[in-house]
Amino acid sequence: MLEGKNMYQQKYEVQVLVNNSPVREYSHEGRHFIEGRKDTEFKIKIRNNGAVRIVAVPTVDGLSAVDGKTGSLTSPGYVVGPYSAIT
């Protein structure tokens, strides 16, 4: 599940990829979801459309993809340069 706003933001984009293709996003009551299937490998792609670098803290089911601990604003993340992307 992706909480908050749509995955596509003005300054950044977040995509979940399966077999290197974006999965479909579903909206319900102001929240955004994707379908997750057991034993399916996926990648998270974060694109920075802004002129300054950002720190992205991707979480899956509330756990940081970096260290496996509960994700928060103080969790370690990935630095994404201006006008670039990481997967």
Side-chain angles (χ1 to χ4, degrees):
M1 178 190 78
L2 297 169
E3 289 194 43
K5 300 177 184 176
N6 188 298
M7 287 192 286
Y8 299 98
Q9 302 293 316
Q10 187 174 17
K11 298 277 183 178
Y12 61 89
E13 300 173 34
V14 177
Q15 292 180 315
V16 176
L17 308 173
V18 173
N19 297 322
N20 293 317
S21 296
V23 296
R24 184 170 174 199
E25 176 184 352
Y26 301 91
S27 298
H28 178 71
E29 296 180 358
R31 298 179 85 181
H32 304 277
F33 302 84
I34 59 167
E35 179 182 3
R37 295 186 181 180
K38 186 176 180 178
D39 298 324
T40 299
E41 290 188 23
F42 64 92
K43 298 176 185 176
I44 300 172
K45 182 176 184 177
I46 302 166
R47 177 174 301 283
N48 179 3
N49 297 321
V52 298
R53 66 184 178 188
I54 62 171
V55 175
V57 181
T59 61
V60 178
D61 294 333
L63 300 178
S64 169
V66 176
D67 62 13
K69 298 178 182 176
T70 301
S72 73
L73 292 175
T74 60
S75 296
Y78 297 100
V79 175
V80 186
Y83 307 110
S84 63
I86 62 164
T87 303

